[in-house]
Amino acid sequence: MALRSVLFALVGMTATASTAVWALAFNDKPTSAAARVPVADGAESSVRAEPVPAPAEDPTFKTKVLPFIQKYCLDCHKGEKAKGGLALESYTSEAQARKDRKNWSAMQHVIASGEMPPAASKKPQPTKDEKEFILNWIENSLTKVDCSPSTPKDPGRVTIRRLNRAEYNNTIRDLCGVDFKPAEEFPSDDVGYGFDNIGDVLSFQPILLEKYLAAAEKIVTTAVNIPEAAKSGKQGFGAQNILVIPRSAKTADPANKITFKSEGSGFLEKFNFPAEGEYVIRFKAWGTKVGDAFPQATVRVDGKDVKALTVDAEQGKSQVYEVRGKFPAGEKRVAVAFTNAFEDKENKKFREMGLERIEIEGPFNAVPPPEPASVKLLLVARPTSSADARAAAEKVLTNFARRAYRRPATPNEVARLVQLFEIATKQGEAFDKALRLPMKAVLVSPHFLYRIEDDPKNPTDVRTINDFEFATRLSYFLWSSMPDEALFELAAQGELRKPGTLEAQVKRMLKDPKARALSENFAGQWLQLRNLKTLTPDKGYYPGWDDALRNAMIKEAETFFEFVVQNDRPILDFLDADYTFVNDKLAKHYGITDVKGSEFRKVKLPDTRRGGIITMASTLTVTSNPTRTSPVKRGKWILENILNTPPPPPAPDVPELPPTGQLKGTLRQQMEQHRADPKCAVCHNKLDPLGFGLENFDGIGGWRTQDNKKDIDSTGELPGGLKFNGPADLRKVLLGKADQFRNCFAEKLLTFGLGRGLEYYDKCAIDDIVKASKTEGDKFSALVLAVVKSDPFQKRKGKRTE
């Protein structure tokens, strides 16, 4: 009720009237998909998923699993100070364990790798048979997923979610054709699973309602604004406001009149012609006849002669002379020039012209300024008379609601909007201004602000989303914006998913300039480039740090990502590539020569120090501390964003390293002492070696060979005995783990594309996506196409059951 009152208070209506009219704008309750969207045959279907009964309680958990936990795990993993934030005492039954499959999947990984229980601790260690039993139990009882083609898959359920700030700005840009970003005034979006487009965390704060209303007002006022032809006006300028050439022409008499004895001109340096049209230029002047001729005065505009006139008025009896001409809009110089000066030497007389005033009137028959692109985009119909205004408004609003709601508007929805238009016209609003009221209603409608997908009629069914919902998923995935007309048309025809059509559309969309949103919103969060914008490395340690270097770092990563997308490069380029993109500022930072100017260009890397995203200055800076590097942060970043094996959070009682100035020896030496603690070694044996391999890069990504005046040791050894030396070797190690990276990148891309975190049952989809893209040489478009063809992207479940 409050939203309704606010909207109509905005247009001067009472709260009672607002309630009635809001109901005309759109339904209180969302209409069903079947009622509101005409769907082509075969475009939407539901598959009945019979309710799966909860499995019978297996005594194995209490007789074998629970004793294993109590004997080997519970000492460290219980209470508020549970190691890694994992408390296990609450798992007293298999049903409770089943609710937290992610925790058990993580336990499965660390037990299988030998990381847990810590071998270096004095705690009891499980036998080989005990480990095999617990691993098999987790695999077969909790996390196993049948990926065989004949088995129905659970596509998951995406929470209804509002547009985040980036999506709102982009959608308004494409919907209304405005070039400002109204969502800059909105509260920041929450982040979940590494991204800010996750439905579960996109909350709706009360202040956001006010922001939506204010934004809608500003948007429609800007977008629906037909410029009117300039009205005629008159401006006069006395002699004191007129500049002269030569300066000697201006006399010092009390009236401050201008007298020319030699050729010269009086002029207005900058007169603004408000619109293209006809103008009358007048000047008040007098002249003396000498040598059988009166003075000639030529009116000039921007140096071009308009007309020459004879000034034959006597001194003291000035007359007004005028010319008429058509001039374009803009600032121009307007001059009245005395062109026929003459001296009668015998009688010692000069032909003189006096100039007292210049006046400009117009425009007449003004040419209306061109309509903004937004008006042409929105007003797809215009009335030719008051009688057909309603029909024209209906066409405009039908088209606007279709595009805003990202599906065809129902007749009832359009009728409500047209009634709002009629209310505005009865209040005396012109056609274009009357349309603003129903358009504001559309922009604060949940059908615009939220991406709504209907659940299957039976809560346990799996439903293939219709083509309009699919087009919306596709466009917000790749463009962070609404579908364009090509997608709308294919959706309306039910052809978007046809073989060959979807492939062509994905490649078209990736080539479109709007795909830059993928680098800004997906890569910007995956590579944590947004965090870089707020970091402040200590200039005492890094004097080369400034905003220009920060911006260059961000630009390099975004441009590199865009190059991979636009050129359909293999995603393994992210791990290692012999090229990057730099300007002069970043090239100097990297020690690359022969790069001049601020423009970014592709360069071949001169050596093997750098290659791919891991050794970019942006990544190295965002994983450092203000005064020093952080092997832990760098190792953690690689585990999370490359190898998909995020470490548990640190224990709350871990002591901090001493400040940089108090470190004895290198940072590595200090950390190795820290790692000697068995409680710390479990995680740091995975984290630190990866970070040590990058120690040749300082806290802002510059190359160095010493730390604290001692040579850097960039060797590392991963669990399992895999050794490397320096960043080039580290990249080879990571390339050797390419399958892990493929899975990691596929998971992040699918998470971003769906707007939800992934679950254990998404494993089959991830396996299919990786397999499909690997078959196509890991090309970026192949990975995207595999994502959009996957069951989670094409379907939704009503209510997940165990």
Side-chain angles (χ1 to χ4, degrees):
M1 187 67 69
L3 175 59
R4 300 167 181 166
S5 299
V6 172
L7 175 64
F8 288 93
L10 190 68
V11 293
M13 296 185 66
T14 65
T16 303
S18 75
T19 302
V21 180
W22 184 273
L24 294 173
F26 46 79
N27 289 329
D28 284 336
K29 297 180 180 180
T31 7
S32 68
R36 70 170 190 241
V37 183
V39 181
D41 290 343
E44 180 177 358
S45 62
S46 293
V47 176
R48 174 62 58 87
E50 296 299 333
V52 179
E57 189 70 25
D58 188 343
T60 302
F61 184 87
K62 291 188 176 180
T63 58
K64 291 189 176 183
V65 178
L66 196 54
F68 181 96
I69 294 172
Q70 293 170 339
K71 183 176 181 180
Y72 299 113
C73 310
L74 215 53
D75 283 351
C76 295
H77 294 282
K78 66 179 179 180
E80 294 181 357
K81 295 185 178 181
K83 302 299 181 184
L86 177 62
L88 300 177
E89 70 268 24
S90 62
Y91 298 127
T92 58
S93 69
E94 182 177 341
Q96 290 171 324
R98 193 176 299 281
K99 293 178 181 179
D100 289 327
R101 285 184 172 90
K102 286 187 177 180
N103 283 342
W104 287 88
S105 182
M107 291 167 60
Q108 181 183 17
H109 174 77
V110 294
I111 293 171
S113 64
E115 298 171 37
M116 291 288 174
S121 69
K122 296 180 181 179
K123 305 288 184 183
Q125 295 293 308
T127 64
K128 180 181 178 182
D129 288 344
E130 287 176 315
K131 289 178 66 173
E132 287 182 356
F133 164 77
I134 200 70
L135 291 173
N136 287 334
W137 181 84
I138 294 173
E139 169 69 23
N140 294 317
S141 297
L142 295 187
T143 62
K144 186 175 182 179
V145 184
D146 186 354
C147 293
S148 59
S150 59
T151 304
K153 308 299 187 299
D154 186 343
R157 184 174 184 272
V158 180
T159 301
I160 179 176
R161 61 183 181 87
R162 63 172 175 82
L163 304 180
N164 66 20
R165 295 202 304 173
E167 292 169 338
Y168 185 95
N169 281 335
N170 292 343
T171 303
I172 290 297
R173 176 200 66 200
D174 296 336
L175 174 65
C176 299
V178 296
D179 59 359
F180 64 94
K181 297 182 177 180
E184 296 298 312
E185 302 296 323
F186 296 176
S188 297
D189 297 311
D190 293 325
V191 175
Y193 304 97
F195 300 104
D196 63 1
N197 67 341
I198 305 299
D200 289 335
V201 301
L202 281 170
S203 58
F204 194 102
Q205 304 172 38
I207 192 174
L208 192 54
L209 176 57
E210 298 177 19
K211 298 294 185 182
Y212 281 145
L213 288 164
E217 173 70 24
K218 184 177 180 181
I219 291 162
V220 298
T221 302
T222 303
V224 188
N225 184 21
I226 299 177
E228 297 179 356
K231 295 181 180 179
S232 176
K234 184 188 297 185
Q235 295 185 63
F237 303 89
Q240 65 272 22
N241 302 120
I242 300 172
L243 303 175
V244 295
I245 298 176
R247 293 188 178 183
S248 60
K250 199 161 189 176
T251 64
D253 60 67
N256 199 23
K257 297 178 181 178
I258 304 167
T259 302
F260 294 98
K261 292 184 178 181
S262 60
E263 291 190 356
S265 65
F267 61 92
L268 307 175
E269 180 63 37
K270 292 180 179 179
F271 178 82
N272 182 46
F273 290 83
E276 181 180 353
E278 294 181 353
Y279 291 82
V280 174
I281 301 174
R282 302 184 181 96
F283 62 93
K284 188 175 183 181
W286 54 265
T288 57
K289 183 177 181 181
V290 175
D292 298 327
F294 285 99
Q296 291 287 314
T298 300
V299 175
R300 292 172 179 157
V301 176
D302 268 358
K304 296 180 179 180
D305 292 356
V306 179
K307 189 175 182 180
L309 299 169
T310 299
V311 180
D312 54 3
E314 297 180 10
Q315 187 173 6
K317 297 181 180 180
S318 303
Q319 291 186 9
V320 175
Y321 301 85
E322 70 177 38
V323 298
R324 191 181 186 102
K326 186 174 183 180
F327 306 106
E331 287 187 341
K332 306 182 189 311
R333 179 170 173 155
V334 178
V336 177
F338 174 39
T339 58
N340 65 336
F342 177 77
E343 179 183 359
D344 183 349
K345 294 183 179 179
E346 182 178 345
N347 295 311
K348 296 182 180 180
K349 291 183 178 180
F350 289 88
R351 184 180 298 153
E352 295 180 336
M353 187 185 84
L355 179 63
E356 299 179 6
R357 182 177 177 81
I358 296 177
E359 184 177 275
I360 302 175
E361 184 178 2
F364 303 101
N365 303 316
V367 176
E371 289 184 346
S374 59
V375 172
K376 297 177 181 178
L377 176 66
L378 296 175
L379 301 192
V380 294
R382 309 284 180 96
T384 56
S385 66
S386 58
D388 61 359
R390 188 184 191 283
E394 184 173 347
K395 290 181 181 178
V396 170
L397 294 171
T398 299
N399 184 62
F400 185 69
R402 171 186 67 88
R403 297 174 64 242
Y405 297 162
R406 301 170 285 274
R407 44 101 179 148
T410 66
N412 285 339
E413 288 172 330
V414 175
R416 295 184 186 97
L417 295 173
V418 171
Q419 289 188 44
L420 288 177
F421 166 79
E422 292 179 330
I423 289 172
T425 56
K426 289 177 181 177
Q427 294 177 348
E429 297 285 5
F431 176 78
D432 57 317
K433 292 181 174 59
L435 285 169
R436 294 176 182 176
L437 177 60
M439 286 182 172
K440 278 187 284 188
V442 169
L443 293 182
V444 295
S445 164
H447 298 294
F448 169 71
L449 296 172
Y450 282 83
R451 288 171 51 186
I452 298 174
E453 297 173 352
D454 285 343
D455 287 327
K457 293 179 181 179
N458 187 315
T460 59
D461 285 356
V462 171
R463 169 179 170 263
T464 298
I465 60 176
N466 67 52
D467 274 17
F468 289 102
E469 294 167 337
F470 180 65
T472 297
R473 282 196 181 190
L474 187 58
S475 64
Y476 280 96
F477 174 27
L478 301 182
W479 290 343
S480 295
S481 185
M482 60 180 282
D484 63 2
E485 286 303 319
L487 292 175
F488 276 136
E489 184 176 348
L490 288 170
Q493 295 170 354
E495 296 181 353
L496 185 53
R497 290 182 173 95
K498 285 190 174 180
T501 301
L502 181 57
E503 289 84 347
Q505 288 301 308
V506 166
K507 290 184 177 181
R508 175 185 73 87
M509 295 176 72
L510 289 174
K511 290 285 187 181
D512 192 284
K514 287 190 286 189
R516 177 174 172 75
L518 201 58
S519 66
E520 293 175 346
N521 301 318
F522 171 73
Q525 295 180 88
W526 170 46
L527 302 178
Q528 299 178 12
L529 301 178
R530 295 181 179 182
N531 296 353
L532 190 59
K533 296 178 181 179
T534 60
L535 293 182
T536 54
D538 193 318
K539 286 183 70 68
Y541 288 90
Y542 307 111
W545 175 260
D546 57 20
D547 285 342
L549 183 59
R550 181 207 313 270
N551 293 336
M553 291 177 179
I554 296 172
K555 182 70 172 178
E556 176 196 21
E558 289 182 345
T559 307
F560 185 92
F561 186 89
E562 288 172 20
F563 180 82
V564 171
V565 173
Q566 294 285 322
N567 293 275
D568 208 7
R569 295 287 303 167
I571 61 170
L572 296 186
D573 278 16
F574 293 130
L575 294 185
D576 194 20
D578 62 357
Y579 64 90
T580 192
F581 295 83
V582 296
N583 64 354
D584 53 356
K585 182 79 173 180
L586 192 60
K588 182 180 179 181
H589 187 61
Y590 283 176
I592 299 174
T593 59
D594 300 326
V595 175
K596 297 180 180 179
S598 59
E599 183 180 351
F600 272 74
R601 76 292 313 264
K602 184 183 177 186
V603 296
K604 184 176 176 64
L605 292 169
D607 51 49
T608 60
R609 293 176 180 178
R610 300 182 192 271
I613 58 175
I614 299 166
T615 54
M616 285 183 179
S618 55
T619 304
L620 296 163
T621 303
V622 83
T623 54
S624 294
N625 293 323
T627 61
R628 60 173 174 82
T629 62
S630 176
V632 174
K633 288 183 179 179
R634 289 177 176 178
K636 180 174 181 288
W637 191 93
I638 293 174
L639 290 176
E640 289 179 340
N641 295 289
I642 303 298
L643 299 179
N644 208 26
T645 54
D653 54 352
V654 175
E656 292 283 340
L657 288 175
T660 303
Q662 299 177 23
L663 288 176
K664 297 179 180 179
T666 65
L667 178 61
R668 175 174 185 143
Q669 291 168 337
Q670 189 76 32
M671 292 192 66
E672 285 176 341
Q673 295 175 21
H674 174 76
R675 200 161 41 140
D677 186 339
K679 294 183 297 183
C680 303
V682 175
C683 291
H684 283 272
N685 285 339
K686 293 171 61 179
L687 292 165
D688 296 358
L690 295 168
F692 291 150
L694 300 172
E695 270 295 275
N696 280 117
F697 299 106
D698 66 20
I700 58 172
W703 184 261
R704 63 180 184 171
T705 57
Q706 289 192 328
D707 175 26
N708 207 12
K709 299 181 180 180
K710 296 190 178 183
D711 291 344
I712 286 175
D713 178 3
S714 59
T715 60
E717 182 176 352
L718 297 177
L722 194 59
K723 298 179 180 180
F724 57 87
N725 184 2
D729 268 5
L730 175 59
R731 294 199 305 276
K732 291 179 182 177
V733 167
L734 296 177
L735 280 172
K737 297 177 179 291
D739 280 344
Q740 282 183 254
F741 174 66
R742 292 182 179 102
N743 274 273
C744 179
F745 192 73
E747 284 194 16
K748 291 188 178 299
L749 206 59
L750 184 59
T751 299
F752 180 79
L754 292 176
R756 69 165 173 85
L758 301 190
E759 301 290 346
Y760 74 96
Y761 50 78
D762 292 311
K763 177 183 181 299
C764 300
I766 292 295
D767 289 346
D768 290 343
I769 290 168
V770 170
K771 182 180 178 181
S773 62
K774 193 174 179 180
T775 302
E776 295 294 324
D778 292 313
K779 289 183 178 180
F780 190 89
S781 67
L783 184 65
V784 169
L785 192 60
V787 167
V788 302
K789 285 183 174 181
S790 67
D791 276 0
F793 200 89
Q794 299 231 4
K795 301 176 181 179
R796 68 179 286 117
K797 193 169 186 178
K799 181 180 179 182
R800 191 170 69 82
T801 56
E802 292 295 337

